Amino acid sequence: MQVSLSLERSFSRDVSIMVDVLRASTTITIALERIPYIIPTREIEEALTLAAGKDAFLAGERGGANIEGFNTGNSPIGIQKLTGKPLIITTSNGTRILEGINGRALIGSFVNARAVAQKAVETAVNEIEVVMAGVKGRFAIEDFLGAGEIISHLQNHDLDEMAQSACLAVQNPELVDEYVKNSLSARNLRKLGFSDDVDFCIQRNISNIAPQLKDGIIRK
C-alpha cells in the first residue's frame, strides 16, 4: 500500500484522510458519538440555507471564532452538548479541504489516529493519501504532527518521504504536545478563550470512530 502526505490539495482517487487537528477533524469525530450524521459546507450562507429546511444543529467558526446564531462553534468540547439531530458544520479550513477530495474521504486527527489508519487500510485499493488542511494554504505544524500520528500506524506500508518525515516527527509525544500547544493556530485559539479545546485535541486514540464522507454526508 502506498502512503503519501500532501498539503491542502488532494490528488488521489483512492482513499484520502483529511487532517485538521485544530479543530475540525477532532470536532467531527467527537460529534459522531452523539450525532447521526454531519453535513459539511464551505460557506456560512450554504449552512444557513440547508438548516432552514432541516431539523438540524449548526456548528462552525471563522478565524476560530464562533459564528453568531449557530448552536456551537467548531469545538470538540462544545459539540458534546448536542445530541440526536443531524449537524451542519462549516469551518475555515477543514470543510473546504473535504470539498476538494476526489476519492473516498476519511477524517483523522490525534483522537482517532489508530482507528482512521485501520479504516483506510481496509478501504483503500492501493493508495492512502493523508491531506493536511493547513491554514488558508499555509503549512500548519499541528496538522503535520497529527498526520504523523496517523502514519505511525501505517509504518509497515510504503511511505513516501513526506510521510516518513511526519512519522519521524512524532517519536517524542511530549515534544509533539509542546509544539502543537505553541503553534500559531493554538495561540489564536487561546486568545479566543479555547485553551481547553487545544488540550482536548492532542489526546491520543480516545475515539474508535473513523468518519467517512460519502455523497456529501459524514457518517461513522
Side-chain angles (χ1 to χ4, degrees), residues 20-213:
D20 185 359
V21 168
L22 297 176
R23 295 165 288 171
S25 290
T26 310
T27 298
I28 288 168
T29 300
I30 298 303
L32 285 174
E33 295 175 353
R34 296 169 173 81
I35 295 291
Y37 64 87
I38 299 169
I39 301 173
T41 70
R42 182 165 184 164
E43 304 296 340
I44 295 172
E45 293 75 14
E46 183 185 358
L48 290 168
T49 300
L50 280 172
K54 292 180 178 291
D55 183 19
F57 296 118
L58 276 168
E61 54 75 29
R62 283 297 180 270
N66 293 355
I67 299 170
E68 186 176 354
F70 278 32
N71 297 101
T72 188
N74 177 28
S75 166
I77 295 174
I79 209 76
Q80 294 179 63
K81 69 184 180 183
L82 308 181
T83 186
K85 297 192 295 186
L87 176 72
I88 300 167
I89 188 169
T90 179
T91 71
S92 300
N93 299 293
T95 55
R96 174 175 57 85
I97 302 304
L98 282 174
E99 191 177 82
I101 290 178
N102 297 309
R104 185 185 294 265
L106 302 177
I107 297 164
S109 60
F110 287 106
V111 298
N112 69 338
R114 184 185 298 114
V116 79
Q118 181 178 340
K119 186 66 176 181
V121 171
E122 293 171 356
T123 306
V125 176
N126 53 34
E127 180 186 9
I128 298 169
E129 173 192 50
V130 183
V131 185
M132 300 175 287
V135 179
K136 298 180 180 178
R138 173 180 60 77
F139 175 88
I141 194 168
E142 69 273 9
D143 293 341
F144 178 68
L145 295 171
E149 187 70 26
I150 295 166
I151 294 164
S152 72
H153 298 285
L154 299 168
Q155 291 186 69
N156 58 334
H157 297 279
D158 185 10
L159 312 186
D160 74 2
E161 292 191 355
M162 280 279 285
Q164 290 176 44
S165 299
C167 192
L168 286 170
V170 297
Q171 297 302 305
N172 184 330
E174 290 183 1
L175 200 57
V176 170
D177 289 356
E178 180 181 337
Y179 275 90
V180 173
K181 288 180 178 180
N182 287 289
S183 65
L184 290 174
S185 298
R187 280 183 272 163
N188 179 58
L189 288 171
R190 281 200 297 274
K191 287 178 184 176
L192 293 167
F194 296 116
S195 294
D196 289 346
D197 277 359
V198 176
D199 293 337
F200 188 99
C201 289
I202 57 176
Q203 296 178 96
R204 271 64 162 188
N205 299 308
I206 61 169
S207 176
N208 291 318
I209 292 172
Q212 303 176 68
L213 174 66

